[in-house]
Amino acid sequence: MQRSHAVQNIKTQLNAAQYEAVTTTEGPVLVIAGAGSGKTRVIEYRSLYLVQQNVDPESILLLTFTRRSAQEMIQRASRNDTRCAKIDGGTFHSFASKVLRRVSLSLGFSGSFTIYDEGDAEEAIRRCCNKMGYDQDKEFPKKNELKTVFSVCVNKGMSVDDAVQRMYSDYEDFTSEIKTVQKEYMDYKRRNNCLDYDDLLIYLKLALDNEELRDRISSRYRYIMVDEFQDTNGVQADIAQLLARKNGNIMAVGDDAQSIYGFRGANHLNILEFPKRFPGCKVIKLEENYRSTQPILDVGNAVLSNMKHKFEKRLVSGPGLKGEKPALRRFDDIYEEAAWVADRVQSLRAQSVPMREIAILFRTAYTSMPLQSELIKKGIRFKLFGGRKFYETAHVRDVISYLRIVANPADELAWHRVLLLLPGIGTRTVERLLELISSEDSLPHIIDKAITPFCAGQKHSDVLSSFRTVVQSIDSPSLTPAARLDKVIAHYDPIMKAKYKKDASRAKELFMLRNMAQRYDSLKEFLADVSVDPDKEGPDDSEYVTLSTVHSAKGLEWDKVFLIGLVDGVFPSGRSLIENNASDIEEEQRLFYVAVTRAKQELSLSFYDKGSGEKGSGGLCRFIVSRNVKETIEERGVAAAIRRPPAKHFSKRRR
DNA sequence: GGCTACTGTCTTTTT
DNA sequence: GACAGTAGCC
Ligand SMILES: Nc1ncnc2c1ncn2[C@@H]1O[C@H](COP(=O)(O)OP(=O)(O)OP(=O)(O)O)[C@@H](O)[C@H]1O
């Protein structure tokens, strides 16, 4: 009785196609539909529906693109039925990290592995190059280029030869050296008990390829749902398939026109070929858009129609929402634009528009700096997404490294970092110490055999013994991660003050880190989340404007959206133009489509003249210049720009 | 010999 | 503002 009431309730929240997707629980299902058509809502209500059919929530697995979106969906479903909180969800990477801690021994490595972020991986590669003496050659590929090659090999399933030829043909003469570095790098990670992001996927797939392990991992999952399937890569699609092999109940959701992670190996063909991969798959299309007004959708449609790959879909507002044509404004420079946007946000605030319903989107995070200072000047609170900084700043990494050596004493990069901070120790001494450290197998041994003897005859013996004491004291398993951080920070504080003079913001950030750590009981979990979950803070219900890269805005929506910096060479990015690679530029175009379709009621487009540099025209973004797109927008003069006195030319010089 | 402080270069997008 | 490379200092 109660159940049918609940199902009835679900039905009222969905249209017919959505309802069909929600209630088709058995077998493979593909939901493919345009932006704002209610795909996310399908996943949310399907989770709820399953649980209300008395499916064990722990047997439902929800794989999404960011952990934040998984958590949000689960949270919303839980509001209707608290059992939903037990649904298992996360990104492919976070799922892999969790599973591998459990089964790593069967694959031949310890469960206490460290996860490298991009910076760590590059540093490890640098060390491998040095070891081989390749760093002497100035022409040799840079470490980040090498990382890209290795990553492409994994994520696009290519050989080193193909990857080098396709992406860096200049380096073809180095191909055999590059292969050597790759081997060295793999060896290095194994010795140090570390995995990079790609390894997480590779090893998870490896585990799933083994029948017995696959059973151990996947038997508990009876229903699997994957969001944003157009942005999965080959390995991830394989993983999904292997996980679903037993029960066959898998739903993929996505929109091929919104594929924006090709640079990371995503293959938008995955979603189109999903029915081939899963024979008997039911394909459901959602036709109506519930998010945006028709004039906003018209811009999206015009962009869609310009794409080389033709998408037959057209976005139509289901409820027939009316609204203003999106406006396009031109500014003299980026500072004018920033000042104008900040002004507009301020007047919206004066009209009591909730700040949560406003977002300012841009192609690259660092171009938002002028805007940030304008908002600060006006006392408008904002939160920045994308352009990942926090965990990458030197001081945060320093502090985290102390914890890493405790969690995994074989983590050479962490030792390297921590030792270099000590006075009187430079690169040479660090290398000597690392040599000693690598031959010991536990932290106490390392301290006894390597650190203590070294400290003996040193000048700065006071600092060195303080270092030793701290490392020893944070090795106690009974301490919480936060308590350990306290000790580390106490030791690190004077080092930081010496390194960065008077910088209060860094101390504040370490305090934030400590607060985050407080939510964890286990050190390993905390460290795993630091690398696998970029989401820094907990829930925050204060009022703030969202500043975000378009990539990080995927799947989200706001009443008012300002899309700034629509300058050819900025958006599309200069990098994509310089290579003149058609598929890169198309990805930028899809990115623009994603950006436009975030807005519910009001969309403002703006650009400034940059003057043509080497890359791009420096004028208006090429995706807007097309006649059919221009017809969907309203070009506005900028009264505000004239109002601005030359004050900000001042700030321009100072920036 | 090894450490440190200084200078010039370059900055897409993210798990 | 972070990093690589370099010159000078202990
Ligand atoms: N059946 C419906 N009736 C009314 N509103 C709906 C319905 N389905 C979805 N919506 C609303 O439409 C908006 C967009 O939905 P949703 O975020 O699920 O779309 P999406 O397809 O996931 O979009 P994107 O591809 O951009 O991620 C949301 O505000 C959602 O609440």
Side-chain angles (χ1 to χ4, degrees):
Chain A
M1 198 74 86
Q2 198 200 350
R3 195 211 296 169
S4 76
H5 173 70
V7 169
Q8 207 49 44
N9 238 348
I10 288 177
K11 199 168 181 175
T12 61
Q13 300 297 312
L14 305 167
N15 64 34
Q18 284 177 315
Y19 186 70
E20 187 188 6
V22 163
T23 53
T24 308
T25 60
E26 308 305 300
V29 183
L30 172 65
V31 177
I32 184 161
S37 55
K39 299 185 293 295
T40 307
R41 185 176 282 209
V42 165
I43 297 190
E44 189 187 314
Y45 278 88
R46 194 167 186 261
S47 309
L48 178 62
Y49 179 80
L50 284 167
V51 168
Q52 299 203 328
Q53 301 290 110
N54 289 320
V55 168
D56 177 3
E58 291 184 19
S59 72
I60 302 173
L61 176 63
L62 187 53
L63 292 174
T64 58
F65 207 71
T66 63
R67 291 180 107 196
R68 185 156 46 112
S69 69
Q71 277 157 11
E72 259 170 35
M73 277 189 247
I74 291 170
Q75 234 172 49
R76 278 203 299 263
S78 310
R79 256 179 250 149
N80 290 303
D81 189 324
T82 51
R83 289 176 294 178
C84 291
K86 291 207 154 151
I87 291 172
D88 204 355
T91 62
F92 276 93
H93 291 89
S94 72
F95 177 68
S97 140
K98 209 172 66 185
V99 168
L100 289 174
R101 300 255 173 228
R102 258 174 36 221
V103 305
S104 65
L105 284 177
S106 316
L107 297 171
F109 59 93
S110 143
S112 61
F113 59 84
T114 301
I115 300 168
Y116 277 170
D117 65 19
E118 215 62 2
D120 295 322
E122 284 176 12
E123 179 64 16
I125 289 170
R126 196 180 63 82
R127 294 177 64 80
C128 293
C129 289
N130 290 356
K131 183 181 161 197
M132 303 307 297
Y134 296 154
D135 55 325
Q136 300 302 327
D137 189 343
K138 295 267 178 286
E139 307 281 291
F140 200 73
K142 306 272 162 292
K143 58 186 168 43
N144 60 323
E145 295 170 322
L146 291 165
K147 177 78 217 324
T148 308
V149 170
F150 302 156
S151 212
V152 161
C153 290
V154 171
N155 292 305
K156 292 196 179 170
M158 272 190 221
S159 66
V160 171
D161 296 83
D162 290 346
V164 172
Q165 194 185 25
R166 287 204 32 197
M167 316 188 39
Y168 295 106
S169 50
D170 292 354
Y171 292 144
E172 271 193 285
D173 290 346
F174 289 118
T175 305
S176 85
E177 284 87 350
I178 293 175
K179 282 183 192 163
T180 310
V181 176
Q182 187 188 36
K183 212 173 274 140
E184 282 294 326
Y185 176 51
M186 284 179 356
D187 246 39
Y188 184 88
K189 284 182 292 185
R190 202 155 256 277
R191 278 204 310 276
N192 288 268
N193 193 24
C194 294
L195 304 184
D196 64 20
Y197 290 134
D198 298 331
D199 293 331
L200 289 174
L201 300 181
I202 294 178
Y203 284 113
L204 175 58
K205 174 158 185 286
L206 204 67
L208 291 167
D209 278 333
N210 173 298
E211 206 173 320
E212 194 201 316
L213 282 179
R214 181 170 68 238
D215 236 41
R216 231 170 96 195
I217 296 166
S218 72
S219 60
R220 69 173 266 208
Y221 299 113
R222 285 183 53 209
Y223 296 94
I224 296 165
M225 290 180 263
V226 187
D227 197 10
E228 311 279 12
F229 204 80
Q230 74 281 356
D231 280 321
T232 56
N233 63 38
V235 188
Q236 290 170 324
D238 289 344
I239 288 171
Q241 183 168 15
L242 288 163
L243 282 172
R245 185 176 269 182
K246 186 149 182 200
N247 293 304
N249 302 326
I250 181 165
M251 169 180 272
V253 169
D255 175 5
D256 48 333
Q258 290 188 66
S259 165
I260 54 175
Y261 281 92
F263 70 92
R264 205 173 94 178
N267 181 357
H268 69 284
L269 292 178
N270 275 348
I271 191 164
L272 301 176
E273 287 169 359
F274 185 85
K276 251 187 256 166
R277 210 183 251 269
F278 295 93
C281 168
K282 184 166 191 173
V283 180
I284 296 174
K285 294 190 175 168
L286 309 179
E287 311 280 356
E288 289 146 281
N289 178 296
Y290 290 97
R291 177 181 295 146
S292 316
T293 63
Q294 192 58 48
I296 291 170
L297 296 178
D298 287 341
V299 181
N301 285 329
V303 175
L304 269 183
S305 71
N306 288 344
M307 293 190 196
K308 205 162 113 230
H309 171 97
K310 52 178 175 9
F311 297 93
E312 74 262 40
K313 64 177 138 268
R314 258 188 57 80
L315 302 174
V316 179
S317 165
L321 298 176
K322 304 247 178 355
E324 301 257 300
K325 259 189 179 183
L328 173 67
R329 290 183 178 83
R330 184 194 154 282
F331 297 89
D332 285 340
D333 59 39
I334 192 171
Y335 304 95
E336 296 270 347
E337 184 188 48
W340 182 83
V341 172
D343 249 14
R344 282 282 299 161
V345 172
Q346 193 172 36
S347 58
L348 287 170
R349 184 170 65 174
Q351 296 160 35
S352 339
V353 172
M355 295 289 101
R356 289 263 185 178
E357 282 304 331
I358 301 175
I360 303 157
L361 307 182
F362 31 80
R363 177 62 180 81
T364 53
Y366 75 94
T367 58
S368 66
M369 287 308 296
L371 177 64
Q372 290 180 38
S373 26
E374 288 293 334
L375 290 173
I376 291 169
K377 262 196 243 165
K378 294 191 180 332
I380 298 169
R381 291 198 32 157
F382 63 86
K383 211 162 159 179
L384 182 65
F385 295 88
R388 26 192 219 113
K389 282 199 319 262
F390 186 70
Y391 288 123
E392 299 216 312
T393 48
H395 50 291
V396 174
R397 294 183 70 121
D398 285 345
V399 166
I400 292 285
S401 292
Y402 288 91
L403 300 181
R404 273 171 55 170
I405 60 180
V406 172
N408 173 18
D411 187 344
E412 195 173 283
L413 293 182
W415 278 110
H416 184 99
R417 219 185 156 92
V418 156
L419 291 171
L420 258 185
L421 291 170
L422 297 167
I425 297 187
T427 45
R428 261 356 250 244
T429 314
V430 169
E431 293 309 325
R432 279 210 317 271
L433 282 170
L434 289 180
E435 189 74 22
L436 291 172
I437 287 170
S438 69
S439 57
E440 302 299 334
D441 59 344
S442 72
L443 194 60
H445 284 159
I446 291 173
I447 303 230
D448 285 351
K449 300 266 166 56
I451 310 292
T452 307
F454 173 80
C455 291
Q458 285 294 312
K459 259 206 225 123
H460 307 83
S461 57
D462 48 335
V463 192
L464 290 178
S465 68
S466 149
F467 167 71
R468 202 183 52 188
T469 317
V470 168
V471 173
Q472 271 170 331
S473 74
I474 59 175
D475 191 27
S476 157
S478 60
L479 289 178
T480 63
R484 297 190 214 224
L485 259 183
D486 281 336
K487 290 180 189 290
V488 172
I489 293 174
H491 165 75
Y492 180 73
D493 197 57
I495 299 177
M496 179 172 70
K497 291 217 169 89
K499 208 168 148 190
Y500 306 105
K501 304 287 175 261
K502 34 156 201 188
D503 192 342
S505 70
R506 290 179 197 261
K508 221 168 90 192
E509 283 179 357
L510 291 185
F511 183 73
M512 266 170 67
L513 184 72
R514 202 210 88 99
N515 283 347
M516 283 181 244
Q518 222 152 19
R519 301 209 298 269
Y520 294 84
D521 297 324
S522 138
L523 178 63
K524 279 177 191 154
E525 239 174 76
F526 173 58
L527 290 176
D529 278 9
V530 164
S531 15
V532 127
D533 182 7
D535 218 2
K536 8 182 213 267
E537 289 141 90
D540 174 359
D541 11 276
S542 61
E543 278 285 299
Y544 58 81
V545 178
T546 298
L547 266 56
S548 177
T549 60
V550 181
H551 282 90
S552 298
K554 182 158 90 153
L556 305 177
E557 58 185 22
W558 296 268
D559 283 346
K560 323 246 175 226
V561 171
F562 296 85
L563 185 50
I564 65 172
L566 294 170
V567 178
D568 214 58
V570 176
F571 197 163
S573 86
R575 282 282 185 103
S576 69
L577 299 176
I578 216 157
E579 306 272 328
N580 205 19
N581 182 332
S583 74
D584 285 355
I585 298 179
E586 274 168 50
E587 182 152 306
E588 298 279 320
Q589 195 166 24
R590 290 194 294 271
L591 190 62
F592 181 62
Y593 167 77
V594 169
V596 165
T597 53
R598 298 308 95 200
K600 286 154 87 173
Q601 305 167 354
E602 197 180 310
L603 174 64
S604 151
L605 309 167
S606 57
F607 74 109
Y608 50 89
D609 270 319
K610 199 178 159 215
S612 50
E614 338 69 89
K615 317 157 200 164
S617 73
L620 178 59
C621 160
R622 63 186 62 191
F623 307 133
I624 304 179
V625 170
S626 335
R627 207 192 138 87
N628 63 333
V629 176
K630 271 215 161 154
E631 280 170 5
T632 62
I633 56 188
E634 176 103 7
E635 290 180 62
R636 296 267 180 90
V638 201
I642 302 156
R643 264 201 280 124
R644 289 277 115 195
K648 81 219 69 55
H649 291 299
F650 176 57
S651 66
K652 176 184 187 171
R653 237 166 270 134
R654 294 185 61 187
R655 276 263 109 215

